[in-house]
Amino acid sequence: MTVTQSEPVTSGTVVAGLPEAVCPRPRPATLRGCGTARGDYPRPAGRDRYTISEVVQHTGLSAHTLRWYERIGLMPHVDRTHTGQRRFTNRDLDWLDLVGKLRLTGMPVADMVRYAELVREGEGTFAEREELLTRHREDVRQRIAELESTADVLDYKIGIYADARRASERV
């Protein structure tokens, strides 16, 4: 089973293949699948096979990074043509969108790989996946609070300089 096969994406509020009681929460309107697609290279309608260069354009990741993700188990199964060329699917793009969000939050690569392993192991790992993401969310919230505190200091300093500039302009 691949990472993307055990967490299918639908446009509704229930993840395909899971009972509604398991996945009753609607996704935010800003998300499609596990993340958001880059607006500069939208997915062509009616297509579900992409070359590595198309995925590079869509995600902004390098081909080297995509190959590395596959090598370390973060992107463990990518279909190949009879000549060995990678063919990514919409599910792969959804997974890469999620990985991008996790990277943006500062999740360590080892934790992302562990999460991918848990996804591949199936439904029996829901509790461990939830715990991993909950722990990471707390780290993210702590960093957000630190950044807000830092922004308050910047606002204070900016206010001092703005007041001093206005006072010097009146003279």
Side-chain angles (χ1 to χ4, degrees), residues 22-96:
V22 174
C23 188
R25 300 170 68 77
R27 291 193 173 108
T30 58
L31 296 181
R32 187 181 84 231
C34 296
T36 58
R38 285 177 41 138
D40 57 342
Y41 192 78
R43 297 180 196 179
R47 282 193 48 204
D48 190 31
R49 293 282 183 251
Y50 306 94
T51 65
I52 198 165
S53 62
E54 290 172 320
V55 174
V56 163
Q57 287 181 299
H58 175 75
T59 63
L61 298 170
S62 69
H64 175 77
T65 298
L66 292 168
R67 289 186 207 102
W68 180 66
Y69 281 0
E70 192 174 1
R71 199 168 39 253
I72 66 171
L74 192 52
M75 189 82 198
H77 176 76
V78 177
D79 289 334
R80 306 232 180 193
T81 65
H82 67 284
T83 60
Q85 293 178 319
R86 289 170 177 84
R87 287 290 182 243
F88 294 84
T89 66
N90 285 325
R91 283 183 167 177
D92 295 327
L93 295 180
D94 287 340
W95 179 257
L96 288 170

Side-chain angles (χ1 to χ4, degrees), residues 79-132:
D79 289 334
R80 306 232 180 193
T81 65
H82 67 284
T83 60
Q85 293 178 319
R86 289 170 177 84
R87 287 290 182 243
F88 294 84
T89 66
N90 285 325
R91 283 183 167 177
D92 295 327
L93 295 180
D94 287 340
W95 179 257
L96 288 170
D97 286 339
L98 173 62
V99 168
K101 298 293 184 203
L102 296 176
R103 285 179 58 222
L104 187 61
T105 65
M107 179 180 273
V109 173
D111 287 351
M112 288 188 281
V113 170
R114 179 64 185 142
Y115 180 77
E117 291 168 351
L118 292 170
V119 169
R120 284 191 301 278
E121 290 174 21
E123 293 179 11
T125 65
F126 284 166
E128 194 173 347
R129 285 186 247 173
E130 178 185 10
E131 194 264 324
L132 188 149

